[in-house]
Amino acid sequence: MNKQVRQLDRVVIRFAGDSGDGMQLTGDRFTSETAQLGNDISTLPNFPAEIRAPAGTLPGVSSFQVHFADYDILTPGDSPNVLVAMNPAALKANLGDLPRGADIIVNTDEFTKRNLAKVGYQSDPVSDGTLDGYALHPVALTSMTVRALAEQAVSKKDAERAKNMFALGLLSWMYSRPYASTLRFLERKFAARPELVAANVAAFKAGWNFGETTEDFGVRYQVKPARMTPGTYRNITGNAALALGLVAAGVRSGLPLFLGAYPITPASDILHELSKHKRFGVTTMQAEDEIAAIGAALGASYGGSLGVTTTSGPGVALKGETISLAVALELPLLIVDVQRAGPSTGMPTKTEQADLNMALFGRHGEAPVAVVAPRSPSDCFFAALEAARIALTYRTPVILLSDNYVANGSEPWLLPDVDSLPDLRVDFATEPNGSDGTFLPYLRDPATLARPWAIPGTPGLEHRIGGLEKADKTGDISYDPTNHDFMVRTRAARIEGIPVPDVEVEDPDSDARVLVLGWGSTYGPIGAACRALRQRGLPVAQAHLRHLSPLPVNLGEVLRRYERVVIPEMNLGQLAHLIRARYLVDAIGYNQVRGLPFTAAELETMLEEVIKNA
C-alpha cells in the first residue's frame, strides 16, 4: 500500500496510560530513536507519586510528552499534536490539553463500561461524539498484541503487557523513526528471559506493520534532522547531567568525590547514577536519614574530599543545621536541592521553584551560602562544575537549585571537550603559616577570603574544629563581641565577593521596554514566549540568572534600563520580592504553583499585555 509521506517541522506526542502500562519506557524509547535521527528534542515525564495508584483511575495516570523538531526548540511543547490514550482515564486526564484536530489513538480494548464508570464517563467517548473535531484512531491495542504473540512462549498476561511496544512500533512507523536501538535495548533489558525479548520485539514489529498496512493511517510523517553544532551528542536528563558534572568536578579537582544521600524524589537518580562511577574515585553512601547524609558529606570535606549531598526541599529543611555548621567551619560542600511541590510532602513528583527563600535565608544566624541554578537538563552538567568551582575556591557550602522539570526532562547534550573544562585543583595547606611557626586555620587568602584547607593528620597543622564561634586567624573558641561581628561580616563578604559572570540580556534590536527576568527551569518557556513575540514584531528583552547568591554585579544596571521588569516564577514571587528589596525596582511577578511548568503560550499572552501597556 502506497501511503502519502508528509514533511513536518515539529511534532509533540504524549503517551498516556495507567502507571503500569509502561508509558515512561515507551516515551523514553521513542525519544532515544528521535535523538539518533538528529532532531532537537525536549521531554516532559509526568507520573503519579503513588507506587501503584488504583488501576484505571485518574490519580494513576502516567504520561510522557516528547517535542521534536528540525530546529532549535526550548520546551516540551504546550499542547500535543498526538495523544496515545491507553485507557479512559488517560483520555479524560489529557483531553483538555489537546487542540482541535489533534490525532487521538485510543486503546479500545480498555473502554469497557467498568473502566468508563471509574472516571465518570456516562457513555463511551469513542462513539458518542465527544471526540468529534479530533482525528480519532480507535485501535484494539491489547487484543491485537495478544494475537500477534499467539505463537510466542509467553503467558497472556505478559502478552498484554507488551501492548506498549505495539504502540511504540505504530508511532515509530508514523513518524519514520529508526528502531534498531530499541531492539537492542529489549535484548539487553530482558536478556535473562529470551522469551520476553522475542515477545516484545514481535509486539513492536506488529505495531510497525499495522501502521504500514491499515487504511486508518493513510499518512506517514517525516521530521528532518535539526541543524546543530557539529560534535557528538547524547540525549540526557538533568539528573544524569548533574551526576556527570559532579564526576567531572571530582576528576578536574583531583579530589575523591563523596556523596552522602538519603533517597528522595526527585533526586534519587543522582545517587543511582553516581554509584556507577567508582572507577573515577566516586564513593556513594546511602545514609539512614537526611541529617546523617549531610553529616557524612561534611566529614568527607573535612577529610579532603569533595563532599556532596543530594535531596529535595524536605531534606534541605532537615540539613539546615549542618549547612550552618559548614558555614562556620568554612569548608567546601555541595548541597543539591532538586525542588518539588510542597510544603511538607506536597506533590513529590511535580515541579516547583519554591525553595529559593530557603536556599538564600533558611538557616539560623547569619549563614550566607552561594546559590546556583541550572536552566535546562544539559545545563545541569555545567552548573555542577560551577558550584564545585565556587565551593572549592571560596571554602563555602553551595546550594545547587535544580527542580523536577529539568531533573527528569531530557534534551540533546553536546559532549564537551574534557580539556576545556575548568581546572579545579586545590592547594591544601602543607606547612605552618604563622610568623611564629604555628598554624593559623583562619588566616585568609586576601583575594578570596578563603581560609586554608588542612587535611587531618598533616604534621604541624593541628587545629580546632567545631561549631562554636572561632577567633580570627587562630580558630580558638571566642565569645568576644567584636570578633563575632568581624567573623559574621567576613563570612558575608566572602560570599558577596565571589566574582560571577555578568547577566547577559537578549534584546536583538535594543528597543525593548519590557525585560523578562527568570531563573532556573523557566528559561525554556520564557525563551519560547519571547521568541514568538519578536516574530510578531513585539520587542521584548530576556535575561536569566544562574547565580542567585551572589547576584551578578551588573544586574541593577540592567534592571534600570527597562520600563517594566516581569519575573515569572513557579512560586508566589520569591525572586521578585528579592529584586524589589535589593534594587528598588517595581518588578511584576507572574506566579503559578500548579506543579507544572509554564507554557510558552500563557507567558506570551501575559507578556503581550505588559508590552502594550508599557
Side-chain angles (χ1 to χ4, degrees):
M1 183 183 298
N2 293 324
K3 296 195 176 185
Q4 178 185 356
V5 177
R6 186 177 301 167
Q7 295 289 333
L8 299 174
D9 62 352
R10 59 176 290 273
V11 178
V12 180
I13 299 174
R14 184 179 297 174
F15 299 92
D18 193 71
S19 57
D21 285 337
M23 293 296 93
Q24 301 303 318
L25 175 63
T26 305
D28 180 71
R29 293 316 310 162
F30 189 92
T31 300
S32 295
E33 295 169 1
T34 299
Q36 286 197 11
L37 194 60
N39 297 125
D40 196 16
I41 54 177
S42 182
T43 68
L44 178 63
N46 191 1
F47 41 86
E50 291 78 14
I51 295 175
R52 191 67 173 89
T57 63
L58 291 172
V61 173
S62 175
S63 68
F64 188 105
Q65 183 165 304
V66 55
H67 181 192
F68 57 103
D70 64 5
Y71 60 90
D72 173 45
I73 56 176
L74 297 171
T75 74
D78 289 354
S79 54
N81 306 112
V82 183
L83 172 67
V84 179
M86 302 297 279
N87 60 18
L91 177 66
K92 189 164 190 177
N94 293 282
L95 185 60
D97 294 337
L98 269 63
R100 305 297 283 184
D103 285 289
I104 302 178
I105 300 171
V106 295
N107 179 15
T108 54
D109 288 323
E110 294 296 321
F111 280 68
T112 63
K113 288 185 178 180
R114 183 169 181 268
N115 286 344
L116 292 168
K118 281 184 181 180
V119 294
Y121 278 128
Q122 302 301 314
S123 59
D124 188 350
V126 175
S127 58
D128 67 4
T130 298
L131 303 181
D132 290 350
Y134 301 95
L136 177 63
H137 305 279
V139 181
L141 288 172
T142 305
S143 57
M144 290 178 70
T145 303
V146 171
R147 288 198 300 272
L149 303 186
E151 303 301 320
Q152 301 292 328
V154 293
S155 66
K156 182 181 178 182
K157 184 176 182 181
D158 283 337
E160 290 177 347
R161 285 176 174 170
K163 63 183 179 289
N164 65 324
M165 287 297 106
F166 188 103
L168 178 59
L170 173 58
L171 269 294
S172 297
W173 173 85
M174 283 181 65
Y175 290 95
S176 308
R177 302 293 94 183
Y179 60 81
S181 64
T182 292
L183 301 186
R184 291 193 298 269
F185 167 81
L186 293 173
E187 291 173 358
R188 294 193 304 270
K189 181 176 178 63
F190 299 111
R193 297 188 61 185
E195 74 278 10
L196 292 184
V197 174
N200 280 276
V201 168
F204 179 92
K205 292 182 176 179
W208 180 283
N209 293 333
F210 175 74
E212 185 74 40
T213 57
T214 183
E215 296 182 1
D216 191 28
F217 296 94
V219 180
R220 192 179 188 191
Y221 302 96
Q222 289 183 345
V223 180
K224 293 181 179 180
R227 293 182 180 178
M228 305 175 79
T229 303
T232 302
Y233 287 81
R234 63 163 288 185
N235 183 46
I236 198 163
T237 65
N239 273 345
L242 199 152
L244 293 181
L246 293 173
V247 173
V251 172
R252 297 296 289 176
S253 65
L255 302 178
L257 179 73
F258 177 89
L259 174 71
Y262 179 78
I264 183 172
T265 301
S268 298
D269 283 342
I270 302 172
L271 168 61
H272 301 158
E273 181 65 30
L274 284 176
S275 67
K276 303 174 185 177
H277 298 293
K278 296 178 183 178
R279 66 187 183 279
F280 293 111
V282 178
T283 300
T284 56
M285 185 189 82
Q286 180 175 318
E288 66 268 27
D289 56 43
E290 296 281 6
I291 299 172
I294 191 173
L298 181 57
S301 289
Y302 174 60
S305 296
L306 176 55
V308 184
T309 188
T310 54
T311 187
S312 190
V316 177
L318 290 166
K319 296 176 189 290
E321 183 178 8
T322 307
I323 298 173
S324 292
L325 174 60
V327 171
L329 299 182
E330 301 189 35
L331 286 171
L333 179 67
L334 298 184
I335 304 100
V336 178
D337 177 4
V338 186
Q339 299 167 94
R340 69 189 204 187
S344 190
T345 310
M347 299 190 294
T349 60
K350 309 304 177 184
T351 195
E352 208 162 271
Q353 288 183 298
D355 293 351
L356 177 59
N357 280 343
M358 180 165 64
L360 294 173
F361 311 115
R363 289 162 296 283
H364 60 284
E366 295 285 348
V369 301
V371 180
V372 177
R375 69 186 191 183
S376 68
S378 62
D379 188 49
C380 288
F381 176 86
F382 301 101
L385 278 169
E386 174 65 358
R389 180 191 71 83
I390 293 173
L392 293 171
T393 304
Y394 296 91
R395 310 287 197 266
T396 179
V398 180
I399 295 180
L400 187 56
L401 273 182
S402 179
D403 65 47
N404 186 63
Y405 179 27
V406 296
N408 287 311
S410 66
E411 64 181 0
W413 176 43
L414 175 61
L415 300 187
D417 176 11
V418 173
D419 292 336
S420 70
L421 299 179
D423 184 349
L424 303 179
R425 284 174 294 184
V426 174
D427 291 325
F428 289 106
T430 58
E431 57 186 21
N433 57 0
S435 58
D436 58 353
T438 60
F439 177 59
L440 302 175
Y442 282 83
L443 180 66
R444 302 179 182 280
D445 182 321
T448 64
L449 296 183
R451 74 176 188 87
W453 190 2
I455 296 178
T458 305
L461 304 189
E462 296 83 358
H463 60 284
R464 182 177 286 106
I465 201 79
L468 291 171
E469 183 60 282
K470 311 294 187 300
D472 179 39
K473 297 184 180 62
T474 67
D476 295 338
I477 295 172
S478 173
Y479 287 89
D480 178 72
T482 302
N483 177 79
H484 178 57
D485 184 85
F486 174 80
M487 294 295 279
V488 167
R489 293 179 186 276
T490 301
R491 288 188 288 259
R494 181 165 46 96
I495 300 301
E496 282 300 315
I498 296 172
V500 301
D502 283 349
V503 63
E504 297 180 357
V505 181
E506 186 178 342
D507 186 0
D509 298 321
S510 301
D511 59 348
R513 292 185 294 169
V514 174
L515 172 70
V516 190
L517 180 66
W519 67 276
S521 66
T522 58
Y523 174 80
I526 291 173
C530 291
R531 178 186 291 177
L533 288 166
R534 293 188 195 112
Q535 289 173 348
R536 293 167 49 202
L538 296 173
V540 63
Q542 177 188 1
H544 209 76
L545 296 175
R546 167 184 274 185
H547 296 87
L548 297 159
S549 174
L551 291 164
V553 173
N554 73 326
L555 180 57
E557 182 271 326
V558 167
L559 296 172
R560 286 187 285 271
R561 288 186 216 160
Y562 297 91
E563 296 178 21
R564 295 284 188 274
V565 177
V566 183
I567 304 180
E569 296 180 83
M570 292 185 289
N571 57 44
L572 295 183
Q574 296 182 18
L575 178 63
H577 294 161
L578 176 65
I579 294 298
R580 290 190 188 111
R582 181 154 185 169
Y583 299 103
L584 302 181
V585 170
D586 189 18
I588 302 169
Y590 182 77
N591 309 104
Q592 297 286 353
V593 280
R594 301 170 299 182
L596 295 170
F598 289 113
T599 66
E602 69 179 305
L603 293 181
E604 182 183 350
T605 300
M606 178 271 297
L607 291 172
E608 182 176 2
E609 288 299 313
V610 176
I611 292 169
K612 289 180 178 179
N613 294 320

